[in-house]
Structures are given as structure tokens and as C-alpha cells.
Amino acid sequence: MNMTKYIPVLQSLLFVLLLSFSGHAQEHPSLILTKAGVEKIRAELGNIPIFDATLEKVKAEVDAEIALGIDTPLPKDYSGGYTHERHKRNFFILQKAGVLYQILNDEKYALYIKDMLFQYEGMYKDLPVHPQTRSYARGKLFWQCLNDSNWLVYVSQAYDCVYDYLSKKERKQLEKNLFRPFADYISIENPQFYNRVHNHSTWGNAAVGMIGLVMGDEELIQRALYGIEDDGLPIGAKDNDGGFIKVEGQKAGFLANIDEPFSPDGYYTEGPYYQRYAMYPFLIFAEALHNVRPQQKIFEHKDGVLLKSVNTLLSLSDADGEFFPLNDAQKGMSYHSRELVTAVDIAYHYGNHNPQLLSIAEEQGQVLLDDSGLAVALGIREGKSEDFQKKSIKLSDGANGDQGGVAILRYGNEAMTLVYKYAAQGLSHGHYDKLSFSLYEKGTEILQDYGLARFVNIEQKGGGNYLKENTTWAKQTIAHNTLVQNETSHFEGKYEVGSQHHSELYFFDASNPEVQVVSAKEQNAYPGTEMHRTMALIKTDGFEKPFVLDILRVGSNAANQYDLPFYFKGQVMQTNFDFTTPKSLEPLGSDNGYQHLWSEGLGQPKGDNSQLSWLENGRFYTLTTATNNDDELHFVRIGANDPEFNLRRDAGLIIRRKNTKNTTFVSILESHGHYSPVSEFSVNANSSISKIELMLDTKEYTAVLIDAKSNTEQTLLILANENKNVNKEHIIEIKGKEYRWTGPYQFIKIN
Amino acid sequence: MNMTKYIPVLQSLLFVLLLSFSGHAQEHPSLILTKAGVEKIRAELGNIPIFDATLEKVKAEVDAEIALGIDTPLPKDYSGGYTHERHKRNFFILQKAGVLYQILNDEKYALYIKDMLFQYEGMYKDLPVHPQTRSYARGKLFWQCLNDSNWLVYVSQAYDCVYDYLSKKERKQLEKNLFRPFADYISIENPQFYNRVHNHSTWGNAAVGMIGLVMGDEELIQRALYGIEDDGLPIGAKDNDGGFIKVEGQKAGFLANIDEPFSPDGYYTEGPYYQRYAMYPFLIFAEALHNVRPQQKIFEHKDGVLLKSVNTLLSLSDADGEFFPLNDAQKGMSYHSRELVTAVDIAYHYGNHNPQLLSIAEEQGQVLLDDSGLAVALGIREGKSEDFQKKSIKLSDGANGDQGGVAILRYGNEAMTLVYKYAAQGLSHGHYDKLSFSLYEKGTEILQDYGLARFVNIEQKGGGNYLKENTTWAKQTIAHNTLVQNETSHFEGKYEVGSQHHSELYFFDASNPEVQVVSAKEQNAYPGTEMHRTMALIKTDGFEKPFVLDILRVGSNAANQYDLPFYFKGQVMQTNFDFTTPKSLEPLGSDNGYQHLWSEGLGQPKGDNSQLSWLENGRFYTLTTATNNDDELHFVRIGANDPEFNLRRDAGLIIRRKNTKNTTFVSILESHGHYSPVSEFSVNANSSISKIELMLDTKEYTAVLIDAKSNTEQTLLILANENKNVNKEHIIEIKGKEYRWTGPYQFIKIN
């Protein structure tokens, strides 16, 4: 193997120099625990409730595993299978045993780690590549290098904790036969995995870097930070998920993985589900770097984006702490996950001791058993905790923050939360859903984003991996609450095309909590067609709660069929239009996700407004949409062409407008009233809307009238479609009346 | 009107006599509050936390209503509509205002009641029958006499509380123009409503009796207790729900309504949902009777069944307190309902001060603002509360306890609960589901009973009334987890036939918590066919949790098609058999509920056992069933022929065995492992069963072998099919081995 292939001469020199200085001087532990930190923890033990409780739980867990004995089976299974889950459990337990050894100073933990490490050492030398062949980068202990990297990230910490417990000879043996070849395997032997900007590579980089820090192996540390210089990879190759392995001018290594996927606002382009997954290697390696080589100033890198991103990620959750399922995302993942315990504790300790993070830690009910966890436990003990305030925010996407983004509009302590996506593709986990949205009332999904089609780690369902319906359904545009033209997905569902484009924020204004507006445009999803969608969260007289106003303008140089779906949950209560239901169910279409929709009913508008009401989770909801007589209202149900029952049987209503070049969809989604099966009282079960009307719709201006049943006043939202300058003054006339305002929009009460 | 038509001479005499003695002597209040009780409450106020808290809440509610002003609109709507909901709210508030007046001694509440009563008095005189025509017994304030009766039951209490506040002249005016005509209207003018054994009549009887007690009107009291003697109703007439109005030899009145629908065990034949509904008039009128005329000894009637039935009803709930939806029942109704607050408080006060009722009251978080509520509040204050113990029980059905029944098998503090129904028809709210069952893990439905097809009080859905799918789907046999022969329902779905029959308990034994068994037979559902279903809840080695063993023997004098459905919830994980899914969905059949099932997939057994696993609410479940190669495994989904989206899109698996006279279905339902979308750990996701086998199946004996994967031991359940004598000794040989035991069954570990 030619080392000069991937280490530049200068770095090699530096490496030799540093080795002679720091290689032997380094204390252990030093990654997530420090000698000083351990002293402090031992001094406070018994007096730091949340830390003590976590310690007790972890001790019980590790003790039970020690009692069971060590098992390092020959690798065989996909995730969910025994060998996979056993090795996974091993690395979690090793890491925990390491901190227990340091904190409790009980040799049995060190011995357990030593024994298991040598069992791995004996096995690894001759271990072939994992027998399962599905991955583009097969691991050795696991079916993919990604999981091998998980293993090394955790086991490095265990090794750090028992470093001084082991003899020099033992360390040499482990490093020579296990750690160094392990690190080389996941990096130089798998550059297609290691040398990318991708959450996989972040894990790989962190793994190599963590073990490098313990071993004082500067070559590994440099490889972790900067990647492999000459990886020999062809431009344009793709991984299992269809993501690019290498593109022109691609950087690699841990720093590149911070620089590129994070926007300056701390939004991670793959979305919160994967940000959560990547947070652990990002922060744990950053913590280790900070401790071992503070001169790297890793927490200041890119304007402190790593710590900032923790706040961003917390903001990307609903009232229950569950992350919005943007792009590939398994629903239910939340800030109660272990990765977020790490993230919150590290952000607190190495950030500015933000007291709002303490309330999240309290909700999590556990802390890291390290220096940062101690800091959090002390903060809580001292009563510094404050509620975490989730506000309305816009988050830019793209390394420089210029590739669209995501906006969250919130009203009344998350009573209502609108998630609007006008971001970039989001790498290989991105969905084709420009200008899509979802809606939450507290922690309940009202209009849902489907999320992914996968049962993570459940072996019975396709080995726990992505199911084919993820591609054929979940990623397709029709699976989202956004516009579909001619039954094709945005960018024709082509990653190569989609990854070159992003939507553009037009304006965002959440300064008035009663009228919050976000507006964005998309010009590339369908060449020759421009979409402009404005979403407002409005609380005004005549409505019990805030409602969502959705104005979607589309203009094209050709006549098209436009489909606008709303995926509602719960039971249909009422429509104000007639519909028929078929005797047998047929799929709505044949491709691009349409093959997965059963056509459950077809309605025709009766008047200028079409209404659908439903009941979900004890609350009533009504969608009111301005319709033409030629519009079709399709009731759909997910689940057609689903031979293995991989999809949920959820419902949707699609508004279909045919043979149209330019049109504007105007809809309002209300939450109203409540119903309890215990009291059997039904309260405010009807929509408060008398009428919505598109009063004006020109190239320059769009005006929507909202008439509430109980109101003598009507309201009007006027948009300037082409000039978003906040100082621009506008004057228009609608039905003989003049309106005058400044800025891109105006919400007016009229008589 | 000829009074002698409905009051026998003797009663008339008694009436005159009593009038002269008790009519003037009676104190007020005396129904649910007594003068002495009010004194005691006033003395304890501020020192009885749960009472004080309830009082504060009720006061806030009533004060808000008083501030809004009184509205008694002209009756117009069905339930859910404004006039219905307003009058309903009025009677609740009047009752509450009454107790507030007594407890707080604040005249504003008395005045409010007086004003509203006189508004009703002014209106009632000339009020026509309610304009909505759907009911077999239309009311005046409401669309059915039932709701008018609700009104009078509550308003009588308010009148009792302000009786002394009103002048004699005012009372006379109210009684003459409002109360007496009101009582007459719902009774002698609507005998088809009043003079039945039915929850409707219970309300009517209580209403007439309650106002009779306040007014000291002995004629009304007698009419309440004993009904109308000569009601002139034809035999065989039916109500809206298809229930009989009058059958041969029918009794009537409040006492008959205790005697007939309650079994000696306190099981109410309509099921827990309607028992809950009827509990209020039963207990509130009983309380009033007890207070005003203790000589009636109402709480001792029929061996104290009224108070006993409260315990029975509480036992008919899952771990969350939600009632099992036997027969017509809306899911979600629970012992947190107002009716159960009444029931629990009265049962505590007038029963033996059972300390377990106090923990239910604590869960309810409120008490009645009367003498019984005070008793509960004092009990809680004094720390007497104990956990309510729900045990495995069998409850007989029928007035004499000889018409089958319902059994509940519970394991480990409701960790697993099996509900098995082998009862009588359950009057007009009964479903055609002999030998059906449902299964709960804590408060989660695993194998569901569909419940009713109705959205109670939600006007948008058919005026809040029963939907036609209640008849065409919910009541049909195929909607339940029990056997269907030749795609027809039990008793051909004919109420006249079904109401003449009941299943028979064969045996019940819950003495060993690790092996609990209930067995019952049905001979009338399909003439010429006998069904014998034995269900066991077994916890044994090799299984993480208890499993359900289901042995359903069917024998017929003709070859039939047998369908055995299991309505599971959640997402399919895996099958061990191949199945195909159709390109378009067709209904499984054309009638008897089959028209509402989409045929979603068809599988064929691959071996002797067919398995289906699914994931629900973070737990894995597996159904293993012994199958023949000719069996068909139908995946179904509810929702076909449902033009108004009235049905839930829930799933089921139907095991179909064709052209068979005699056969035995043997199945096991396991709960195993868990999955969390937060940790993404999948634990014990696979069934623990290696094999189940019907080792022996003769007229006399059935033996089922269970082979667990992790076990060297196998287990065998042997049933004596014809002799249930617990002292009978049995000796049989299976595969050359002799088995010997005493009693109707034996569970044996073999090698």
C-alpha cells in the first residue's frame, strides 16, 4: 500500500513531528472523560440526581450483560438479526462499561472490556468481508461499513477508558491487530464509503479520528479531518440509496462534512432524522478533539455551527419532541433519543450553558456519564432550567445558506405548527417534494408527510433496510402535500437533476404572531412551469383557533393536469360536495407513486368552495378549497400495489385541475371544536368559513377573501407576487375599492 | 283519560292514603342531597380536597353559563344540533346549579333555576311533538322521549334543591304546566317507550319517579316502580333499533328493569356500554328512593344487584378503564364518564364503603356534589383508598343467571386480558357474535371487537344516530372474531331468533393464574351445527408473555364453508406462507357484512402451521394457526360499500375452510418483544412457537400440542369435550402414551 497516495508530504512531516511530542504525553481518559472530570464526578456522586439515576440504570444494564457473558458471534445477519444486534449491543455496552470503570473505579468493568476487546482482536485478524452483499460498502462485523464505524466510535471511548489499565504490550496487540486495521478497512479500503459528504462518511471520519486520538495516531487523525486525498473513485458513482459517491470538486473528511451539509443556520441538508443520526459522531468526535487538541477550535469551526445545529435540530420537532419527517425519516424519532442526549449535554457544556437546554435534558431523564453530563446535572441541581422556547423560524439550506430552506410557523406554544419545505434536494435521502408542507396540532399530525417506507432494524421487513416502496412511493411527489404536474414527480424523480436545484424563499415574516406568512417559489421542478406557494398561519376574529391559508399559484407554458393532495388522518365527517365510491378499487395511476393509491371516491364541486371535514384524535378539521366546476376531488387511500403490506393505509384528498396552464389553488385548513368519547359531547363541529374567494390574481398581485360565518367583517390577504421589497409601496384596486400598503403582503379586515 | 286503566284499585287507595301522610311532611332537598347531608358538607368544605376541587370546577362552569344568560330555543335539531345540545346543556347546568344553591347557599343559583324553569313552563304548555320524525317515540324538547327523560331526571334534582325557595304558588304552576304533563307525556302518552324492559324505559321510569318523589306525587311514583298496567301495546311491535317493544308476559317499570336485564352477577345484558348509560338513572333514582322512602329497601332489591353491578361494570374495562365494546358500544367510553362518577360514589356510600372504589374515584378526579360524594371525599382524605383489583371472572347473563355469559381472563395486573362472550342476545343492542372474543395488552386492543357504527352525538354523521352500517356491518357475525358458516350470520341475523337463544358455559377455571381456561358451546346459531370454543391464557416456559390458545371445534350434519376471522391492528411484519395481492380490490362477498370487506390478499398454507406477525404500538404479535393445505388465508380490509366513509379501514385475516362437516381450528396468539422508534431497537421480534399440532380430536377428547422453539419440553392441553365434572377421572392414550387426569381439562408438560 502506497501511503503517499493519500497523505500529502506536508501532513506526513507534521505527523512525524507531532508523534514525537504528543504521542506519549497524552493522558487517558481524554476523549469524553478527562482525568480532572472524573475527579469532579466522583466528588459529586450521590448529590447529582439525574446523573446518579443515569449511573444506576447504566450500571444495572452493564452488570446484567456482564452476568450473561461475552458473545462475539461470527457475523452473518442484516440489521435486526442476531449477530448484527449482538455486535451492536456489544459496542454500546463496551462504551458504558468504560465510563463505569472510570467513575466507579471498579476493575470488573475494565476486565470485561479487556476480555471482549481481545475476543474481537482474535476474531478480526482473519475476518472476511461480511457475507451479506447488499451494501455498496460492506463491513466486516456488520453488513455495511457504516455499522462497523458505529462500533469503532463507541469502542474507541471504551479503549480510552481502559488505556492505562492495559499493559503496553496489550495495547500494542490490540492496536496492531484490531484498531488500526479496523480503521484502515473503513477508510482506505472503502473510500467510496469514507470519502464523501454524507452521514455515512461522518461516522467513518469520526471512527477513524476517535481511535486515532486514543492511539495518538496522527496519520489517522489527519485522515479523519481531511479525508483521503487520492481516493481513486470515479466521478458519478452511486451508492445503494442512489446518492452520488463522488461529484466534481468534492471535498472529504470530517471538516468537509461540517462545511457542506450544514447551512449557516445549522440546518442539515438531509433533514432532522438524519441530522439526529449524524449528531452523535459530529459531537462526540468534536468533544474528543476539543479535549485532546483544543488548538483545533472545533466548536468555533464555521461560526460555531456544530453547537448551533443542536438548537436548530431541537426546533425541528413537534410538541412531543418528535422530529418533522422531512425527506427519509422514520416517524417517532425524537429528542429523547440517545443521540440527542449527547447533543444536548455537549451543547450545554461546550456552548454558553443555555439554561433552556436543561429542560430538554430533564425531559430526557438522563445525561451522559461524562464531563458534559456532569455539567448538565449540576445545572439542573442548581435550578437553572428554563423551558425550551420553540419559535417560528426560517432555516436556510445549503453550505452557504443560499439554497432555499425550511420554515416553521408556530402559534401559541406549539398549539399549531406548520412545516413548510422549500429546500435543496437533501442528498440521497431527499424526497421530490418542493413546496410541500405538513401540519401539527400539538404533537398530533393533521396533514401528514408520509416519512420513509422502511422499518429501521426490523429484520422481518426487508432486513430492516429501505423497502422498494421508499423509492416507488415515499420519495415521489404525490406522496406529499404539494403540486404534481401530469402525474410525474418533480425533476421526473431524477436525483441527478433534483440535486442541482433548490426552491427560493420569497419572503418570511413571523413578526406578528397573529399573521405569520412564508412564501417560496420553485422554477425547476417542472421545466417551463413556475410554482409559487404562500402559506399563512392566521388567528383572527370568527375562528376558534388559527387556520392555515394556502395559496399555490402555478403558471406554465403548456396546458397541464395539476394534482394537489392533502393527506389527512382520521375519519371523514362531512363534505359539501357529492361523491361516488366505486364498487371495486383501482389504482389512481400507474407510475410515480400513483400506482400505490387506491381511488376510493370521486367528487365534483357543487359550488365555488369545496369542503371536507374529518375527526382526528378528538378534534374536528375542515379543509375548504376554492374550486371550479371542472375540478375533480379524488379520495385516495395508500396501499395499492403493495404486495408485502409495507405501506400504511392512510387517506388523502386530491384536488385535480385538468387542461390548465395557469391557475391558483386557494385552501384553508381549520382545526375546530372537539369530541370526547367519554363525555360524548360534540363541540363546534362545523367549519367557521362561509366563503373563500380568489378576488384578484394577476402576474403582480393575488388577493384572497375570507368570509367567516360569525363575522360581519371579512378579511383579505393581498400578496405582491413579484416585488418582495419590504419598503415597496403598493396600490391596487379590487372591485372598485383601493388598497394601499407597504411590503410583500397585507392582511386587512374589510367591511 | 281513564286512570283505572293503569293503576290498580289497591294502589289507588294506597296513593290517597300516602298523600295524606307523606305528601306534606317531606323535607327538601331529599333526593340526592339531604338537609343533614348539606349541613355536613358545609361543615367540611375547604377541607375535602377532591370535593372542593369538583365544587370549584362546577361553580366556574355554572357561573359562566349564568353569565351567558338563559336560552330555551324552540326544539328543532337531532343530537349534535344546536337546540338539542342547548337543552341538554340546560339540564346538566340546572342540576349543578341546584347543588350549588344548597351547598353555597347563594340565591343567584336558585334564581337562575327558577327563571329557567319558568321559561320552560311557558314554553311546554303549547309545545308540539318534536319536528324530527325518526324516533319510534318522539319527545317534545328532543327528538326522542329518551332525551326528554334525561332532562326530567336531572331537572327533578334541581327542582328538589329549590323547592323550598319557591312559593307554593310557583310550585303549583310549575307542577301543573310543566312537570306533571312532562311526566305524563313520556309515560302514558308513550307507553311504547315507557313500558318496556330496556335502557330507554329505565330512563323514563326514573324520570317519572324522581319528579314524583319531589312532588310527593304517589301516582307517579307507583307508575315509575311498576309501569303502566294496561298499555294497550300490541305484542311483537319493534322500535327503531329493531328491538321488541312488547313480548308475551312482559313486565314494566323500574323494578322490572332491575329484575330482568341484570343477571345475579350484576351483568347487564345489553353490555357495558349501555350499562354505563343506564347506571345513572338506576342509581340516582335508587338513591332518591332510599332517601325518601327507605322502607322500599331498593339497594337490597334482587340480592343487592344494583350496587353489585357497579363492581361488575368496573371489571368490564381494560387497563385504561375503557369498557369492552360488547354489542353496540362506542369505543373510548370509560369509567371516567359522569355516569360512573355517580355509580362509584353511590356504590361507595350506600354499599359497604369498599376502599377499592376510592382509587377509581381518585382516577376520576371528581365526586358528586352530594352526600355520597362527601363520603368518598372523606374516605380519600382519610387515606382509605386501595387499588381496584380486576380479576379473572365469569359473569352470568340472564335474569336468573342461566343464559350464558361473559368471561374475562386476566394475567399480571391486566398485562394481558382476554374477553370471551358466550352470552344471550343482549336485547336490541346485541350483536350476532356467539363465542367471539377480543384481546387486550394493557389498554391496547390487539384483536379487536369493531364496536358500533355510529358517531354518538356528532350531527354530521347521520344526526349522531346509528348508521346503516351498524346493521349491515357491525352487528353481523363476520365483523367479530368468531366462526361464520356459509357466509351467513348467526341466527341469520334475525333478532327474533337470536333473542330466543344463548350460548352455554361449559367450564371456567381461573384458579391457576398460569393456566386459565374458559370453554363454552353454541348449538343454535346455525341449526344442525354445534360450536365448542375453548380459550386459554397460558404462561409457560419458553414464552416471554402469556399466550392465548384458541380451540374452536365445529361439527355439522352438512358440509359447510367455515370462516374464522382475526381482526388485528397494526402493520403486517411477516407471514410464513405465500400470498398474492390483487391488482384491484373486490368485496369478499355480497351480504351479511361480507360486502364491507375488501379482499386484500389471498394466501395458501405452506406447512401444517400458518403464521402471521404484525407490529402494533411498539410490540410484536404472532398468530399461529394449524392449517390444512386446502385452507385459504384471506387478508381483508374493512371499507367496501361504504359510500359515506362511515367505517374504519381496519384489517383482518380470515381462515377459510371449505366443504367440511367437522373440524377444529387451533390457534395461538402471542405477544412478544418490542420496538421503539426512538431507540430503534427491535427485540424478540419472532414468534416463540416451533409448532402447534392437533394431536387428538374425538367426540370425547381434544388434545393440542405446543412446541416452543427454546424448549426441550413440549406442552399439551387436553380437553374432555363431553364431561365437565371436576371430579371425573379421565384416561386416554395419545401416540402410545397414557395420560390420566381429573376434571374437564389438563395442561401437561411432556418430553
Side-chain angles (χ1 to χ4, degrees), chain A residues 273 330 338 456-457 460-461 571-572 574 579 583-585 600 641 643 645 649 675 679-680 685-686, chain B residues 273 330 338 456-457 460-461 571-572 574 583-585 600 641 643 645 649 675 679-680 685-686:
Chain A
Y273 177 76
Q330 182 163 280
R338 56 182 174 274
V456 180
N457 292 336
Q460 289 93 328
K461 297 299 265 188
Q571 189 97 23
V572 169
Q574 208 175 23
F579 61 90
K583 285 287 158 196
S584 62
L585 295 192
E600 263 201 333
N641 286 293
F645 295 109
R649 267 49 181 169
Y675 179 75
S679 73
E680 295 187 337
N686 291 301
Chain B
Y273 177 77
Q330 181 162 279
R338 58 182 173 275
V456 180
N457 292 337
Q460 290 92 328
K461 297 297 266 188
Q571 189 97 23
V572 169
Q574 208 175 23
K583 286 286 157 198
S584 63
L585 294 191
E600 261 200 335
N641 285 293
F645 295 109
R649 265 49 180 169
Y675 179 75
S679 73
E680 295 186 338
N686 292 301

Side-chain angles (χ1 to χ4, degrees), chain A residues 458-460, chain B residues 574 613 620 622 672-674 682-687:
Chain A
I458 299 184
E459 195 188 19
Q460 289 93 328
Chain B
Q574 208 175 23
S613 299
F620 295 98
T622 299
H672 50 92
H674 52 87
S682 166
V683 177
N684 195 21
N686 292 301
S687 164

Side-chain angles (χ1 to χ4, degrees), chain A residues 92-367:
Chain A
F92 281 127
I93 296 294
L94 281 175
Q95 191 270 348
K96 287 171 177 171
V99 298
L100 289 180
Y101 170 62
Q102 285 294 332
I103 293 171
L104 301 175
N105 202 15
D106 181 340
E107 198 177 317
K108 82 167 172 185
Y109 299 110
L111 186 63
Y112 177 75
I113 294 170
K114 178 179 153 182
D115 289 347
M116 200 192 292
L117 286 183
F118 276 98
Q119 217 161 298
Y120 274 114
E121 185 263 347
M123 170 193 227
Y124 195 82
K125 280 185 301 190
D126 306 312
L127 202 60
V129 175
H130 194 278
Q132 300 290 358
T133 59
R134 195 186 301 168
S135 176
Y136 76 104
R138 290 152 69 189
K140 286 192 166 183
L141 292 179
F142 301 90
W143 69 283
Q144 49 179 354
C145 280
L146 173 62
N147 304 108
D148 280 41
S149 301
N150 301 156
W151 187 94
L152 191 54
V153 165
Y154 282 87
V155 174
S156 300
Q157 298 170 53
Y159 182 46
D160 183 40
C161 285
V162 297
Y163 193 91
D164 289 342
Y165 172 80
L166 299 171
S167 71
K168 197 170 171 183
K169 190 175 159 224
E170 288 164 343
R171 292 197 298 262
K172 201 173 162 189
Q173 188 180 343
L174 287 174
E175 294 185 6
K176 181 170 165 243
N177 297 332
L178 179 62
F179 294 133
R180 179 70 201 223
F182 200 111
D184 286 343
Y185 179 75
I186 59 172
S187 56
I188 51 181
E189 293 182 44
N190 282 284
Q192 80 283 14
F193 157 78
Y194 186 83
N195 234 30
R196 305 167 65 188
V197 169
H198 191 285
N199 70 69
H200 286 189
S201 306
T202 303
W203 276 98
N205 304 154
V208 169
M210 298 280 282
I211 197 66
L213 287 175
V214 192
M215 292 163 62
D217 185 332
E218 189 62 25
E219 184 184 343
L220 293 182
I221 297 169
Q222 292 301 317
R223 196 191 294 164
L225 291 172
Y226 302 105
I228 306 163
E229 198 187 354
D230 182 4
D231 55 26
L233 294 171
I235 298 289
K238 285 196 195 175
D239 66 12
N240 299 73
D241 302 331
F244 286 118
I245 286 172
K246 189 165 188 176
V247 292
E248 203 68 58
Q250 178 176 291
K251 289 180 181 175
F254 190 69
L255 298 177
N257 268 295
I258 298 174
D259 291 341
E260 296 212 5
F262 282 107
S263 79
D265 290 336
Y267 178 77
Y268 187 73
T269 192
E270 297 189 45
Y273 177 76
Y274 276 97
Q275 177 169 356
R276 176 271 326 169
Y277 185 60
M279 273 335 266
Y280 188 79
F282 274 123
L283 289 173
I284 209 77
F285 183 38
E287 182 180 25
L289 272 172
H290 175 90
N291 285 332
V292 181
R293 51 178 63 195
Q295 69 275 23
Q296 186 81 36
K297 297 192 175 169
I298 188 68
F299 285 123
E300 290 167 41
H301 190 82
K302 194 177 177 174
D303 202 21
V305 76
L306 277 185
L307 297 178
K308 191 189 291 178
S309 74
V310 177
N311 267 296
T312 303
L313 183 52
L314 292 171
S315 286
L316 287 166
S317 69
D318 68 18
D320 294 339
E322 294 184 11
F323 298 122
F324 302 127
L326 302 172
N327 296 326
D328 283 341
Q330 182 163 280
K331 289 184 182 178
M333 180 54 76
S334 78
Y335 62 55
H336 297 94
S337 64
R338 56 182 174 274
E339 298 91 346
L340 268 287
V341 174
T342 302
V344 165
D345 290 6
I346 290 177
Y348 179 78
H349 187 47
Y350 299 100
N352 52 0
H353 280 215
N354 174 2
Q356 295 191 6
L357 292 174
L358 296 178
S359 63
I360 303 284
E362 285 178 302
E363 264 196 72
Q364 292 170 335
Q366 56 177 316
V367 292

Side-chain angles (χ1 to χ4, degrees), chain A residues 467-573:
Chain A
L467 300 165
K468 69 177 172 22
E469 288 79 9
N470 197 60
T471 305
T472 61
W473 164 253
K475 284 192 166 192
Q476 299 297 326
T477 307
I478 192 63
H480 302 82
N481 300 311
T482 190
L483 197 78
V484 183
Q485 178 177 300
N486 300 330
E487 301 186 33
T488 60
S489 284
H490 297 167
F491 310 110
E492 296 181 59
K494 289 181 182 161
Y495 177 66
E496 297 79 352
V497 184
S499 56
Q500 286 166 26
H501 300 288
H502 56 85
S503 306
E504 295 279 0
L505 176 66
Y506 181 57
F507 71 88
F508 171 92
D509 184 1
S511 56
N512 172 6
E514 310 286 305
V515 184
Q516 305 180 45
V517 191
V518 53
S519 184
K521 298 182 180 186
E522 169 58 44
Q523 305 195 313
N524 301 296
Y526 298 113
T529 297
E530 180 175 334
M531 296 186 265
H532 179 188
R533 189 174 208 172
T534 304
M535 309 210 74
L537 192 59
I538 297 172
K539 177 74 186 77
T540 188
D541 296 345
F543 292 87
E544 181 189 348
K545 305 184 195 178
F547 61 80
V548 173
L549 173 58
D550 173 20
I551 304 171
L552 199 161
R553 303 181 73 233
V554 54
S556 179
N557 51 23
N560 298 300
Q561 170 186 298
Y562 297 116
D563 283 350
L564 182 60
F566 293 90
Y567 288 96
F568 63 95
K569 299 184 101 176
Q571 189 97 23
V572 169
M573 289 286 109

